[in-house]
Amino acid sequence: MAERDGAAPTALLVVDKLSRWAIVGLMATMISVVSIQVALRYALSASMDFAEELSRLCFVWAVFLAIPHGVPQAGHVGIDLLVAKLPDPLRRTLARAIALASAVLMGVVGWFSAVAAADSWDQLMPTLDLSSGWFYVAVCVGAAHSALHLMALALRAPATIARGGRS
């Protein structure tokens, strides 16, 4: 994926590419595990004990890795009824302030999810020999990745930020 308006540093584009491939792998794993589980249950009246937990873990990670990819394209829900009526200079300033405030919020979410992960690290999932803290680590990673995108958005060229990040 090409760099958009010079807004995202090359390192962030590499992180984006890696997370996209991780999402593909997680979704493929989830679909495979659930499909095999259904086939085993209906064809052989058997099941894999770990299927539900593994598919849930893959789903949670895929969701939190995907969230940051909506930030550069302004793909998340937002209400801009009043903001759209503001003059361009004020709209750009407000967009930058909101991006910075959102980046700070993602930092807070990331911090508290890291604390929650540490607090729950000793608890193991019933069927997988993994810590239940991995669910919180997904939130932390997604929040950090989102914060990077929001910082890049706040530093974007004024013409781009006025369109909500769209080129």
Side-chain angles (χ1 to χ4, degrees):
M1 183 172 177
E3 195 168 323
R4 294 169 299 278
D5 296 331
T10 305
L12 187 52
L13 294 174
V14 170
V15 171
D16 284 349
K17 189 172 189 175
L18 290 172
S19 71
R20 280 189 185 95
W21 280 109
I23 294 165
V24 168
L26 289 162
M27 294 299 289
T29 301
M30 182 178 64
I31 291 167
S32 299
V33 167
V34 169
S35 298
I36 292 168
Q37 173 72 350
V38 169
L40 283 173
R41 184 160 291 167
Y42 285 102
L44 303 174
S45 294
S47 68
M48 299 182 296
D49 293 338
F50 62 89
E52 181 186 349
E53 277 184 338
L54 182 59
S55 61
R56 188 172 11 140
L57 186 63
C58 289
F59 178 75
V60 167
W61 269 89
V63 166
F64 283 102
L65 287 177
I67 288 171
H69 294 284
V71 173
Q73 291 84 26
H76 295 290
V77 175
I79 300 171
D80 63 353
L81 184 66
L82 296 175
V83 175
K85 300 198 182 303
L86 294 174
D88 274 349
L90 185 56
R91 185 173 40 227
R92 285 188 213 111
T93 302
L94 185 59
R96 286 179 195 266
I98 289 170
L100 285 172
S102 297
V104 169
L105 177 63
M106 287 295 103
V108 170
V109 169
W111 173 261
F112 280 103
S113 63
V115 169
D119 287 345
S120 65
W121 201 256
D122 293 338
Q123 299 172 15
L124 294 178
M125 293 180 220
T127 60
L128 295 174
D129 193 23
L130 291 173
S131 168
S132 62
W134 283 108
F135 288 104
Y136 297 106
V137 173
V139 178
C140 186
V141 170
H145 190 182
S146 293
L148 292 173
H149 272 292
L150 287 160
M151 292 300 294
L153 182 63
L155 299 173
R156 242 180 221 182
T160 305
I161 201 165
R163 292 189 300 268
R166 293 172 239 238
S167 300

